Every structure is written in structure tokens, then in C-alpha cells.
């Protein structure tokens, strides 16, 4: 909370569906803080890395790992892939979402509880929304979960607008990412091949092993693949950068349509908050991890060029042959486990040194963000007039979802209207009980 007299009036968070938990490690350099956006491991990676490595490991039974210093842990290591373990992943995800619901309740005790929470229709986001509701609601069946269908013809009117945008491709960024990956992972593969040449480690194997650090830690609480003797801090910074490059081109500033896809949510949300007579104090929505970074672009946050002298091509800020250590675009910050973005509205009457006014603030993963050129309030807050103007400028910059996406269906729309259409007020959606139907046993 801000250390001012401001009172929070409304809050609109957007949470990406779940994955894993905040984890602890005894190392001073913690690889788990540099895993970027790979958290939802059970979503297919394009291309896949972990499964081919595991298959190869299963195939190469002739290697005596126990006699291979540095890799001897592989002698009795079992891949974490059983069904029980996979369902544990889901449970960890639900726990995280419930925790977020409880956190919201603690952080904003004076806000009226919402009547409904919105979610895209995939089972995972739906369950995440249900779990959040369990943490947030005071009694059983207080809050409804409203499902917004993940259509390829929804235009901008859904929580997954990128699925209705032909200009978006889930594999964008793979080529660029692989270029840097080859650079940082080749020496690591060579080091491993010096230990066990029979395995013929490739850069993709190295990448799969690094993914296993996060995946196995979520399931088992720790992983030998996170050991800093196996991968050094520099190896992890290389991995992190290669993923940042991927997300830069996939959902970030390097994807020309990113801001257009993120803007409908920003505009709809800002419109709700700028309208002092909006129905609810709290609007919560769940989507997949693709949307929050596009919202970040629409808002102009984490922009590598913003503080650079001159404004060259944004792609030049993510070179493929070396790390830009000073980049603002760090997806470990934008896309961690259960990443979320929120816009808050405050009443700052009686604050020392500031006009009595409403002020606005953006949070990314609970951290206040500085809106470039919009900071005339306490802390990183921005006055009502300045925020309205800021949003207008951003809307002007990214107006035209359908046109920019090249939609090939006739009934598209550029506006997200789920928060204001009647379906939100009607008897739509399902309520959520506090507990599962628990039977005696
Ligand atoms: C593992 O062995 C099977 C059967 O020989 C083969 O089809 C497959 O391509 C191998 N996989 C890898 C990753 O080497
Ligand atoms: C366009 O029509 C399709 C097919 O009837 C429907 O599924 C989709 O929701 C419509 N899109 C909009 C934006 O109304
Ligand atoms: C090592 O793997 C690469 C890539 O899969 C392959 O092209 C190469 O032939 C392999 N080398 C040996 C010695 O097996
Ligand atoms: C950055 O690269 C992407 C992918 O090649 C391209 O589509 C985009 O236009 C580039 N951006 C700029 C500003 O040149
Ligand atoms: C503000 O919200 C009220 C209540 O939902 C609605 O009737 C009104 O049309 C909204 N005004 C604007 C400018 O969006
Ligand atoms: C990023 O920052 C540069 C420099 O301030 C600016 O020219 C550019 O429009 C910004 N990009 C976006 C998408 O806001
Ligand atoms: C803001 O707070 C002041 C002082 O507590 C109060 O008089 C005013 O009605 C509040 N305004 C809104 C919009 O809540
Ligand atoms: C922005 O939101 C307002 C209010 O919902 C709507 O009237 C307007 O068409 C929207 N504009 C864009 C570009 O989404």
C-alpha cells in the first residue's frame, strides 16, 4: 500500500492462468528467479525441448552416469512425469490462485466484493478463477464465474483476443531465440560432451535440462538441474535472455500487432475506472499468459527504448549475439508464476502536497509501475486528467485491432465489452462453493 492518505477506490486485475509456486533456494544466485515465462510447463513449448531430452536419456542406457563426474546424479534420477505428479502441478496452481484471492481480500478490505469474476473458457483458467473466488468470497456461492468463450472469431471481445488475430503466431520468436540459444548453450553442450561424449549433448538438450530445473522444482520442491555446479549463474542469464528474445518477438515490442491485441482490455478497463459510477469496485479476469505482455506493450511499460537516447528500431535493443543486460524487457518480471496486471483508482483527498483528486496506478505482479510521463501524483500515481490523457494517446496509437490483425471474418469488433454487456448482470455464470463436496471418509 502507498504511504499516503490515498484510499483505493477500485481495482481491475488481470491474472494469467496459473502454474507454480514461489520457491526457495539456499543459493545466493537463484535460478528460479530467472526462469522467465516458462512457468506453465504443461503448455506445449514450440519447439519442445524437455521431452526429447528425456526420451534421449531413456534411450541411452549404455552410459554409466555414476562414473561421470558432474553428471553422476543422472545415474539414479527419475523424470518427474507420473500422473500423480502432473496432478500435483495442477494442485499447486490452484493453491496459488486461492492465495491470490486471499491476498486481494487482505490488501483491499474496504472494496465491495465483486458479483462475478470473468475467465477465458479453457479448463485451466476456469479452475484458476474458481480457486481465486474460493479465496476471495466471504460465504459460499457469493461470487459467480463467468466464462468468456475462446473463439477464433470473437474479434477483440474476449479475454483471448490473440486467438482471433491471424497476425499472431504462437511460434513467433522461436527463430530469433534459437539464434542466441545456440550462442549461449554451445559451450555448455561442449562442456557436457567432454564429460560424456556418448550422449552427444546438443544445445536443445541443454535447453531441456534447464527447463527441468523449474519443472522438477515445482513438483518435488527441488531439482539437481538447478545446481549451480551444473549450470552457472552466467548460464542462467544466457537462458533468461534467450527467452526474453522469444517473448520480445512473440508477445512483446518486437511483434507489431502486440499493442493492438492488448489495447481492448486496457481501454475497457480504463473506461470502467474513469467512470466514477461503475457498478463494481473490483473487476477480476483470468486469461492465458499470452495476453498480459501484450497489455504491457499497449500501456508502454518495460519499453527498452523509453530511456534510450534517440529512438532507433526496437528490435535493435534485443541483439541476438549478446545480452543487453540493461534491458527493461525482462520476462522474469513480466511473466512469473500467476502473473497479474492491475489498474487501481485512489481517492487522495487530504494528501499533503497533492491536489484532492482521484489518482490512478498500474501494478504488474503487485509492484507499482511508472507510466512514462504520467507521474503527477504521490509515488507512481497519475492524476485523473493525466491518466485519461495517457490512455487516449495509447488508444490512438493502437486503435484498429481487426484491421491490424487482418481478420478474415466479417463480424469482428475492436471493442472488449464483456464488462458492460447485460450478460454480466444477467443470471450468467456459475457460483463457487468454498469447498468441494466433501464426503465423510
Ligand atoms: C529413442 O529410441 C527410439 C527407438 O529406437 C527412436 O525411435 C527415437 O527416435 C529415439 N529418440 C531419441 C530422442 O533419440
Ligand atoms: C461472429 O460470428 C461467429 C459465428 O456465428 C461467432 O461465433 C462470433 O462470436 C461472432 N463474433 C462477434 C464479435 O460477434
Ligand atoms: C549428434 O547429434 C546431432 C544432432 O542431433 C547429429 O546431427 C549428429 O550426427 C550426432 N553426432 C553423433 C556422433 O551421433
Ligand atoms: C521487429 O521484428 C519483427 C520480426 O521480424 C518484425 O515483424 C517487426 O516489424 C520488427 N519491428 C520493427 C520496428 O522493425
Ligand atoms: C458509467 O457507468 C454507468 C453504470 O454502469 C453506466 O450507466 C454509464 O453509461 C457509464 N458511463 C460511461 C461514460 O461509460
Ligand atoms: C517505446 O519507447 C520509444 C522511445 O520513447 C517510443 O518511441 C515508442 O513509441 C515506445 N513504444 C511503444 C509501443 O510504446
Ligand atoms: C474522497 O475522500 C473525501 C475525504 O474522505 C470524501 O469527502 C470524498 O467524498 C471522497 N470522494 C470519493 C469519490 O469517494
Ligand atoms: C474504448 O472504450 C470506450 C468505452 O467502452 C468505447 O466507447 C470505445 O469505442 C473504445 N475504443 C477502442 C478503440 O477500443
Amino acid at each position: 500500500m502507498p504511504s499516503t492518505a490515498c484510499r483505493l477506490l477500485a481495482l481491475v486485475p488481470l491474472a494469467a492462468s496459473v502454474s507454480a509456486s514461489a520457491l526457495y533456494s539456499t543459493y545466493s544466485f537463484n535460478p528460479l528467479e530467472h526462469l522467465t515465462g516458462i512457468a506453465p510447463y504443461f503448455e506445449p513449448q514450440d519447439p519442445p525441448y524437455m521431452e526429447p531430452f528425456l526420451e534421449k536419456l531413456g534411450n541411452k542406457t549404455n552410459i554409466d552416469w555414476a562414473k561421470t563426474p558432474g553428471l553422476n546424479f543422472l545415474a539414479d534420477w527419475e523424470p518427474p512425469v507420473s500422473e500423480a505428479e502432473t496432478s500435483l502441478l495442477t494442485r499447486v496452481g490452484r493453491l496459488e490462485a486461492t492465495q491470490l484471492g486471499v491476498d486481494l481480500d487482505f490488501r483491499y478490505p474496504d472494496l465491495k466484493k465483486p458479483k462475478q469474476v470473468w475467465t477465458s473458457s479453457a479448463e485451466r483458467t476456469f479452475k484458476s478463477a474458481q480457486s481465486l473466488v474460493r479465496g476471495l468470497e466471504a460465504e459460499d456461492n457469493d461470487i459467480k464465474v463467468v466464462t468468456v468463450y475462446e473463439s477464433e472469431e470473437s474479434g477483440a471481445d474476449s479475454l483471448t483476443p490473440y486467438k482471433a488475430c491471424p497476425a499472431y503466431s504462437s511460434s513467433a520468436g522461436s527463430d530469433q531465440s534459437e539464434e542466441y540459444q545456440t550462442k549461449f548453450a554451445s559451450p555448455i553442450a561442449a562442456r557436457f560432451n567432454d564429460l560424456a561424449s556418448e550422449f552427444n549433448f546438443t544445445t536443445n538438450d541443454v535447453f531441456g535440462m534447464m527447463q527441468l530445473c523449474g519443472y522438477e522444482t515445482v513438483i518435488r520442491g527441488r531439482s539437481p538441474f538447478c545446481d549451480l555446479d551444473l549450470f552457472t549463474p552466467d548460464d542462467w542469464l544466457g537462458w533468461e535472455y534467450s527467452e526474453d528474445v522469444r517473448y520480445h518477438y512473440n508477445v512483446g515490442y518486437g511483434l507489431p500487432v502486440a499493442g493492438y491485441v492488448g489495447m481492448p482490455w486496457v481501454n475497457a478497463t480504463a473506461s470502467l475506472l474513469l467512470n466514477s459510477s461503475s457498478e463494481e469496485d473490483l473487476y477480476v479476469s483470468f486469461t492465458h499468459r499470452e495476453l498480459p505482455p501484450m497489455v504491457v506493450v499497449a500501456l508502454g511499460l518495460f519499453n527498452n527504448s523509453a530511456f534510450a537516447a534517440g529512438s532507433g528500431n526496437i528490435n535493435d535493443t534485443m541483439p541476438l549475439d549478446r545480452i543487453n543486460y540493461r534491458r527493461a524487457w525482462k520476462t522474469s518480471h513480466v511473466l512469473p508464476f500467476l502473473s497479474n496486471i492491475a489498474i487501481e483508482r485512489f481517492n487522495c483527498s487530504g494528501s499533503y502536497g497533492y491536489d484532492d483528486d482521484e489518482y490512478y496506478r498500474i501494478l504488474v505482479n503487485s509492484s507499482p509501475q511508472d507510466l512514462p510521463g504520467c507521474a503527477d501524483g504521490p509515488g507512481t500515481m497519475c492524476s485523473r486528467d493525466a491518466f485519461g490523457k495517457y490512455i487516449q494517446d495509447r488508444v490512438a496509437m493502437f486503435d484498429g485491432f481487426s484491421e491490424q490483425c487482418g481478420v478474415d471474418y466479417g463480424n469482428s469488433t475492436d471493442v472488449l465489452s464483456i464488462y458492460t454487456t447485460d450478460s454480466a448482470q444477467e443470471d450468467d455464470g456459475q457460483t463457487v462453493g468454498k469447498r468441494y463436496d466433501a464426503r465423510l471418509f
Side-chain angles (χ1 to χ4, degrees):
M1 294 304 291
S3 56
T4 65
C6 301
R7 277 193 301 115
L8 185 72
L9 295 176
L11 167 78
V12 182
L14 173 76
S17 103
V18 144
S19 328
S21 59
L23 299 151
Y24 303 94
S25 160
T26 49
Y27 298 120
S28 52
F29 178 91
N30 188 348
L32 301 175
E33 289 166 8
H34 301 269
L35 288 177
T36 85
I38 59 157
Y41 290 100
F42 33 106
E43 267 181 50
Q45 274 262 352
D46 188 12
Y49 296 102
M50 212 164 61
E51 289 79 8
F53 168 73
L54 292 175
E55 194 180 311
K56 195 165 159 187
L57 193 62
N59 277 0
K60 302 242 176 185
T61 47
N62 56 325
I63 301 176
D64 188 356
W65 293 114
K67 295 208 180 82
T68 310
L71 295 168
N72 49 5
F73 71 93
L74 288 172
D76 47 21
W77 180 79
E78 294 289 340
V81 288
S82 77
E83 211 169 287
E85 286 165 326
T86 312
S87 71
L88 185 64
L89 260 187
T90 317
R91 252 181 288 154
V92 169
R94 287 203 208 129
L95 179 66
E96 284 279 303
T98 306
Q99 172 88 47
L100 183 61
V102 174
D103 284 352
L104 289 178
D105 194 25
F106 268 109
R107 237 191 292 160
Y108 308 114
D110 296 335
L111 294 189
K112 192 175 74 188
K113 295 272 161 60
K115 288 204 228 22
Q116 68 270 306
V117 159
W118 288 265
T119 176
S120 56
S121 53
E123 191 188 354
R124 194 147 53 79
T125 51
F126 181 79
K127 291 217 153 121
S128 300
Q130 273 189 323
S131 300
L132 176 124
V133 164
R134 284 200 179 90
L136 181 62
E137 69 187 354
E139 301 292 338
D140 270 10
N141 307 326
D142 266 2
I143 302 175
K144 286 186 206 162
V145 175
V146 175
T147 302
V148 181
Y149 186 57
E150 297 185 12
S151 163
E152 285 181 5
E153 298 189 348
S154 63
D157 198 15
S158 85
L159 289 166
T160 46
Y162 55 91
K163 293 198 171 177
C165 177
Y168 170 73
S169 156
S170 63
S171 61
S174 289
D175 290 348
Q176 292 91 340
S177 170
E178 271 185 44
E179 190 168 332
Y180 186 71
Q181 184 200 327
T182 303
K183 168 141 181 117
F184 94 84
S186 294
I188 306 174
R191 174 158 60 88
F192 291 166
N193 281 327
D194 195 37
L195 302 169
S197 61
E198 316 93 283
F199 193 81
N200 187 18
F201 284 93
T202 63
T203 53
N204 285 353
D205 290 328
V206 168
F207 209 78
M209 291 164 80
M210 296 181 101
Q211 277 187 310
L212 275 163
C213 158
Y215 183 83
E216 190 183 14
T217 304
V218 170
I219 293 179
R220 296 179 173 160
R222 62 199 169 83
S223 167
F225 291 98
C226 303
D227 197 322
L228 291 184
D229 289 335
L230 187 65
F231 297 114
T232 66
D234 279 339
D235 295 343
W236 285 111
L237 295 180
W239 146 281
E240 183 181 37
Y241 187 68
S242 75
E243 286 296 270
D244 286 356
V245 166
R246 175 196 311 284
Y247 289 114
H248 169 80
Y249 288 102
N250 189 273
V251 287
Y253 287 90
L255 174 71
V257 86
Y260 294 90
V261 178
M263 183 45 74
W265 183 84
V266 170
N267 181 46
T269 302
S271 303
L272 283 174
L273 285 180
L274 286 163
N275 180 350
S276 314
S277 57
S278 51
E279 296 262 323
E280 300 272 6
D281 283 356
L282 188 59
Y283 292 82
V284 184
S285 306
F286 274 83
T287 179
H288 297 277
R289 69 172 162 178
E290 284 83 355
L291 191 57
M294 300 195 198
V295 165
V296 158
V297 174
L299 283 168
L301 305 172
F302 302 99
N303 178 351
N304 286 343
S305 295
F307 297 97
S311 53
N313 187 321
I314 187 79
N315 292 336
D316 295 341
T317 67
M318 296 295 281
L320 303 181
D321 57 349
R322 63 192 185 281
I323 298 182
N324 169 6
Y325 286 100
R326 286 193 297 271
R327 67 195 181 279
W329 181 257
K330 273 204 179 150
T331 52
S332 294
H333 300 170
V334 183
L335 274 175
F337 307 136
L338 195 63
S339 59
N340 54 77
I341 298 179
I343 307 181
E344 297 173 316
R345 180 175 78 211
F346 290 88
N347 176 352
C348 294
S349 296
S351 273
Y352 295 108
Y354 292 96
D355 291 344
D356 289 356
D357 194 0
E358 274 179 8
Y359 289 88
Y360 291 77
R361 188 170 73 164
I362 311 280
L363 302 180
V364 174
N365 303 312
S366 308
S367 301
Q369 301 299 319
D370 158 50
L371 279 185
C374 192
D376 56 349
T380 56
M381 292 184 192
C382 171
S383 67
R384 182 185 170 85
D385 284 353
F387 183 72
K389 171 80 173 49
Y390 187 83
I391 294 296
Q392 258 177 23
D393 290 350
R394 302 304 295 183
V395 167
M397 193 168 181
F398 292 120
D399 190 5
F401 171 91
S402 306
E403 192 191 333
Q404 297 294 325
C405 282
V407 298
D408 42 14
Y409 44 94
N411 61 343
S412 187
T413 170
D414 291 355
V415 179
L416 174 65
S417 59
I418 57 170
Y419 302 122
T420 49
T421 48
D422 286 345
S423 75
Q425 273 76 49
E426 274 167 17
D427 191 27
D428 199 12
Q430 297 179 20
T431 57
V432 182
K434 277 300 216 196
R435 287 179 195 85
Y436 296 104
D437 178 17
R439 307 204 187 221
L440 290 174
F441 59 91

